[in-house]
Amino acid sequence: ATTNAPGAKATFSWPAVTTATGYTFQYNINGGAWQTGFSNQNTRTFTVDAPFNEDVINARVLASNSAGSSAYTTSTVVTPLW
């Protein structure tokens, strides 16, 4: 799920994967290079601060455990004008 908040921020969260021991969260702003918010941590939420209102934030997350990693799932949000 994704929520918008005024002030060019977006908070991303996702449900737990039963067998996961960690998650990796990456994002980009307006289609730029992917940046890592965190890697292989047992955290399921991250807030991205965009430089400007109305920026497009693309986010992706994968789950991992001792057997390997899942594919990324991706979400997009546009920060509000106000």
Side-chain angles (χ1 to χ4, degrees), residues 2-81:
T2 319
T3 57
N4 284 352
K9 295 176 188 269
T11 299
F12 295 85
S13 61
W14 51 93
V17 175
T18 306
T19 58
T21 56
Y23 303 90
T24 296
F25 179 86
Q26 295 185 329
Y27 66 94
N28 70 41
I29 298 172
N30 297 323
W34 288 103
Q35 302 174 60
T36 301
F38 57 83
S39 181
N40 200 27
Q41 293 184 19
N42 196 14
T43 302
R44 293 186 297 110
T45 186
F46 191 83
T47 299
V48 177
D49 294 319
F52 303 103
N53 291 336
E54 295 190 296
D55 278 339
V56 176
I57 301 171
N58 300 296
R60 63 187 187 181
V61 65
L62 64 75
S64 57
N65 62 23
S66 60
S69 298
S70 69
Y72 278 103
T73 58
T74 305
S75 182
T76 299
V77 66
V78 178
T79 58
L81 175 59

